[in-house]
Amino acid sequence: MEKQLLNIDKNLKVMPSVTTDEKVRVFQRKLYLRAKQEKSFKAYSLYDKICQPHVLQESWRRVKTGKQEYHGGGVDKLTFGMIEKAGVTQFLTDIRNDLLNKTYRPQAIRRVMIDKAGSKEKRPLGIPTIRDRVVQMAVKMMIEPLYEADFIETSYGFRPRKSAHDAIRKIKENLFAGYQFIYDADLSKYFDTIPHDKLMKLVSDRLADKSILKLIRQWLRSPVQQPDGQLEKSRIGTPQGGVISPLLANIYLNVFDQLIDAPDGAYAKEDIRIVRYADDFVLMKTNRYPQKILRRMNSTLTRMGLQINQQKTRLLHISKSSFCFLGFEFRMVQSKFKWNAKRYTNIRPSIKSRSKLYANISDCLGKRRHWKIEPMVYKLNEILIGWLNYFSITRVTHIWDTVSQIKWHLDYKLYKWLKSKGRKAHKTLRQRPFDNLVKYKHLLDIEKYASLKFHAKATGRTLSVSRMSE
C-alpha cells in the first residue's frame, strides 16, 4: 500500500503511517479467515514472512515488553540493555541474515528452578536466549491464526482476546445453568511430558512449510543447561518459559478439547462442558459422571502420553464442596438475609492466593526496612493494584470480605515496619498506620479502589488511580 498525502485542510498535511503491529495484525486476520473458511487449508510458504523486517521489529517489541529476563536471560547472558547499547537494528539484521541464509541455529535453554505456589517443590522453567525468543515470537505471530481457527471457544489460556477472567465468567455461567457436578482435573507435569512426534504431527495438520517445521523441531530438541552447567538432551516436552511453548501446548491439548466439544461425541451425549486454561481444566455436568466416561477420558489422555495427577484431581458437587481454579475459590453460600433460604454461588480469592499476597507484602517490607516511606508506599501500591485488578471481576467475584482482611493484615505489617525504624520514629503514623499512610502518604485505599473499580466496570467507564483523590 503506497503512502499518500491526505489534505485535511489547507494548512495541515498528514502522512498516514502503519505500525509494525498493524501490519502483522492485517496479515493474521487474512490468514485466520482463510483457515476458518477452509478446514483442510494448509500454509505452505510462511518462512519468507518471518524474515520480513517489520515482523522481526514487532517480534522484538513484544518480547521486550512481554516477559522479565529471569536474572540474566539465556545461556549467553545477553540482556535487553546490552543489545540496545550495541544497536537493535544490527541485532535484528543479523537474525534476518541467518534466517535468509538458513544458518540460524537455536542455542541451549537455561534451566531455572522457581518456587511452586503452595508447595515445597520447585517448578522448572526453560529460558531461551533473547535471540531465540525473537525468532520464536516471529514464528508464533505467523502461524498462530492457523490454529486459532480450530481452537474451541472455552479454551482461554494464552490466546488473543481471551483471559483468565473469561474462564471464571464461563464457569459461573455454567454453574448458574445447572452444571454443578464438577470434575476438577490436574495434569501432572504437562509441559514436560508432551511427546515430540505426536505434537509435530498435529502441527503439520495446518502447517506444511518445511523450513518452519524444522525450526520448531530444533527448539523442541534444544539441549537444556542445568543450574550446575551441564547440558542434557531434550527428548520430550516443551520448555515452560519459551515464547512458542504455550501455543504448542494449546495445539496438543486441542485434540482433547475437540473430543469433549464434539456435538455428536460421547461427552456431548452426557452433556459435559469443558473450561480450560492452559493445562488446568474443569469438566462440568448436570448429573453424576458415569464410570465409563471417566475411564474413556483417562484412556484418551494416556494414549496422548499425559497423566492425571490423582492426588489433586477431585470429583465434587458445588453445593457440598468448594473448588479452586486459577486462584479463585468457587463455593455455595447461604444468603445473608434470614428470610431468604436460597444458596448462591460465591467466587472469591482462594486462601492460597491470599497467602501469596501476604507473603509478597511481608517480603517487600522485610527486605526494605531502610527505605523511606514514599518509595515503600509506591512499591506497595504496585503490589496491591495488580492483585486487585486480577481478582476484582464485576458481577462475578465477591472480594469485600477479603479486602477487609487484607487491610487488617497490612495495618499490622506496616506498624511492625514503622516500629523497626526506631522507638521514637513515626510515632503519629504508627497509631493507625494504614489509615495515616492513606491520608498523608498516598498509600492505596484498597476499599475505595475496589469500590470504584466495581462501579467503573459496571458503568463501562475506565478507572485510573488519579480518580482516587476525587
Side-chain angles (χ1 to χ4, degrees):
M1 177 181 175
E2 296 182 358
K3 293 182 180 179
Q4 298 178 351
L5 291 174
L6 299 178
N7 291 323
I8 305 300
D9 57 37
K10 295 180 179 179
N11 301 317
L12 178 63
K13 290 184 178 180
V14 177
M15 182 72 74
S17 61
V18 180
T19 64
T20 56
D21 180 63
E22 289 171 341
K23 289 181 180 179
V24 169
R25 290 185 185 277
V26 167
F27 177 79
Q28 287 179 324
R29 185 62 180 170
K30 291 179 179 178
L31 191 61
Y32 172 80
L33 291 175
R34 180 73 183 277
K36 196 71 173 177
Q37 292 168 359
E38 301 179 27
K39 297 298 182 182
S40 60
F41 172 74
K42 283 189 176 185
Y44 285 86
S45 56
L46 291 179
Y47 188 80
D48 61 312
K49 304 294 188 299
I50 70 172
C51 301
Q52 293 178 357
H54 73 274
V55 173
L56 292 175
Q57 290 170 12
E58 179 62 18
S59 300
W60 163 263
R61 186 189 70 81
R62 294 190 185 189
V63 169
K64 186 175 183 297
T65 58
K67 297 291 182 181
Q68 56 181 323
E69 294 188 39
Y70 297 104
H71 309 292
V75 295
D76 59 358
K77 304 298 182 183
L78 204 60
T79 64
F80 289 108
M82 295 165 64
I83 294 172
E84 288 174 333
K85 188 175 181 180
V88 176
T89 303
Q90 185 60 48
F91 175 74
L92 297 178
T93 301
D94 293 341
I95 291 178
R96 184 170 185 267
N97 291 336
D98 289 343
L99 290 172
L100 290 172
N101 298 327
K102 302 291 182 71
T103 57
Y104 167 80
R105 297 293 181 273
Q107 294 176 268
I109 296 168
R110 186 168 73 93
R111 175 73 75 208
V112 177
M113 306 301 293
I114 63 171
D115 293 331
K116 195 172 182 180
S119 174
K120 295 181 180 179
E121 299 178 3
K122 296 285 186 177
R123 184 190 300 276
L125 285 183
I127 311 302
T129 62
I130 295 177
R131 174 173 170 269
D132 291 336
R133 276 184 264 172
V134 170
V135 181
Q136 286 186 20
M137 179 62 78
V139 171
K140 177 180 178 290
M141 291 190 305
M142 293 299 101
I143 71 172
E144 188 173 40
L146 293 170
Y147 305 100
E148 276 294 319
D150 295 332
F151 292 159
I152 66 173
E153 286 297 318
T154 54
S155 170
Y156 298 96
F158 307 107
R159 293 184 59 191
R161 298 182 181 180
K162 289 184 180 290
S163 67
H165 287 184
D166 297 325
I168 300 304
R169 289 190 185 96
K170 188 63 180 178
I171 292 178
K172 182 175 182 179
E173 177 186 319
N174 289 342
L175 290 173
F176 186 77
Y179 292 81
Q180 298 185 353
F181 285 84
I182 309 298
Y183 185 81
D184 181 17
D186 183 84
L187 290 176
S188 180
K189 299 179 180 179
Y190 170 62
F191 282 84
D192 299 328
T193 57
I194 300 176
H196 290 173
D197 54 342
K198 295 179 180 178
L199 172 61
M200 290 307 302
K201 185 177 180 180
L202 294 173
V203 172
S204 60
D205 286 345
R206 280 292 196 176
L207 183 64
D209 191 318
K210 294 182 179 179
S211 298
I212 294 185
L213 290 173
K214 182 180 178 181
L215 286 178
I216 296 174
R217 287 193 188 94
Q218 288 177 345
W219 290 324
L220 291 174
R221 296 171 182 173
S222 295
V224 178
Q225 185 187 66
Q226 298 297 333
D228 58 3
Q230 292 185 352
L231 292 178
E232 289 185 2
K233 291 183 179 180
S234 177
R235 296 183 175 87
I236 193 171
T238 177
Q240 221 172 335
V243 173
I244 203 170
S245 295
L247 175 60
L248 297 178
N250 275 336
I251 291 172
Y252 195 65
L253 263 186
N254 186 54
V255 176
F256 181 70
D257 293 343
Q258 294 288 353
L259 288 174
I260 302 292
D261 201 53
D264 56 347
Y267 297 95
K269 292 177 182 178
E270 294 291 340
D271 197 17
I272 295 176
R273 296 183 179 182
I274 183 173
V275 177
R276 182 173 69 83
Y277 190 94
D279 57 334
D280 295 324
F281 69 89
V282 293
L283 301 181
M284 311 183 73
K285 199 173 184 299
T286 56
N287 47 38
R288 295 183 181 276
Y289 290 84
Q291 287 299 317
K292 62 178 182 180
I293 284 292
L294 297 179
R295 287 195 296 268
R296 176 190 286 265
M297 182 186 62
N298 288 328
S299 175
T300 300
L301 292 172
T302 301
R303 290 199 304 271
M304 293 175 67
L306 307 177
Q307 187 177 2
I308 292 255
N309 188 336
Q310 298 295 342
Q311 294 181 347
K312 295 184 179 180
T313 298
R314 302 171 61 209
L315 197 59
L316 57 96
H317 190 278
I318 189 64
S319 65
K320 297 182 179 179
S321 179
S322 64
F323 72 98
C324 296
F325 189 71
L326 301 180
F328 294 84
E329 181 186 4
F330 297 79
R331 59 179 187 156
M332 297 291 286
V333 296
Q334 191 74 33
S335 172
K336 293 183 178 180
F337 301 102
K338 293 182 179 180
W339 52 266
N340 191 349
K342 291 184 178 180
R343 304 184 74 196
Y344 296 92
T345 304
N346 179 274
I347 305 173
R348 64 175 184 175
S350 66
I351 295 176
K352 186 184 294 185
S353 300
R354 282 176 275 167
S355 299
K356 190 174 181 180
L357 174 65
Y358 295 160
N360 288 340
I361 292 174
S362 298
D363 185 65
C364 179
L365 295 172
K367 292 182 178 179
R368 297 171 177 85
R369 295 186 183 278
H370 60 288
W371 277 26
K372 292 183 178 179
I373 293 177
E374 287 76 9
M376 175 56 72
V377 165
Y378 181 84
K379 187 69 176 177
L380 285 173
N381 284 348
E382 280 187 338
I383 296 173
L384 295 172
I385 290 174
W387 196 89
L388 288 171
N389 284 345
Y390 179 75
F391 285 102
S392 177
I393 310 176
T394 303
R395 297 192 179 94
V396 176
T397 56
H398 300 78
I399 64 170
W400 309 113
D401 293 340
T402 304
V403 167
S404 299
Q405 294 173 13
I406 295 172
K407 180 180 177 180
W408 180 89
H409 179 85
L410 196 55
D411 192 69
Y412 174 73
K413 288 295 181 180
L414 286 170
Y415 169 79
K416 299 288 286 186
W417 182 74
L418 291 170
K419 189 176 180 181
S420 69
K421 291 183 170 295
R423 190 177 51 154
K424 297 182 179 180
H426 308 296
K427 276 191 173 182
T428 304
L429 291 177
R430 274 159 46 191
Q431 293 177 4
R432 298 180 64 185
F434 180 83
D435 292 333
N436 285 329
L437 288 179
V438 167
K439 186 175 182 180
Y440 300 111
K441 299 298 182 180
H442 306 293
L443 179 66
L444 183 73
D445 187 341
I446 55 178
E447 290 182 330
K448 185 176 180 180
Y449 182 82
S451 177
L452 284 174
K453 190 171 186 296
F454 176 85
H455 292 296
K457 282 192 173 184
T459 56
R461 301 172 63 188
T462 56
L463 172 64
S464 60
V465 180
S466 60
R467 286 185 56 203
M468 296 289 295
S469 58
E470 295 178 4

